[in-house]
């Protein structure tokens, strides 16, 4: 159990992601992980992320 806890923390994943492919809100685990990571970015970093997303969407 301790190893599982350490892996979840190390990899910054939801424990639900180990057992469910999608949660009830319909968002994939990868999307939720990205959303959690965005919370740690500064406003300047978010500007860069937004620019990258806009570039990807234009392809």
């Amino acid at each position: 159990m301790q190893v599982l806890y350490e892996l979840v923390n190390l990899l910054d994943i939801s424990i639900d992601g180990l057992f469910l492919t999608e949660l009830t809100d319909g968002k994939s685990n990868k999307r939720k992980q990205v959303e959690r990571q965005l919370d740690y970015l500064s406003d300047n970093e978010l500007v860069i992320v937004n620019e990258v997303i806009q570039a990807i969407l234009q392809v």
Side-chain angles (χ1 to χ4, degrees):
M1 189 59 119
Q2 181 65 28
V3 173
L4 177 60
Y5 174 78
E6 290 177 17
L7 280 173
V8 166
N9 283 328
L10 176 69
L11 299 174
D12 189 31
I13 59 173
S14 166
I15 192 74
D16 295 331
L18 298 174
F19 303 104
L20 304 171
T21 56
E22 277 197 14
L23 300 177
T24 56
D25 64 5
K27 292 182 180 179
S28 71
N29 290 323
K30 182 54 70 178
R31 178 177 294 275
K32 287 179 179 257
Q33 181 181 17
V34 169
E35 288 176 357
R36 282 193 309 273
Q37 291 171 336
L38 290 173
D39 290 338
Y40 296 101
L41 299 180
S42 69
D43 285 343
N44 289 336
E45 292 167 329
L46 288 171
V47 168
I48 295 168
V49 170
N50 186 54
E51 296 284 331
V52 170
I53 291 170
Q54 293 300 317
I56 291 170
L57 293 175
Q58 290 179 4
V59 172

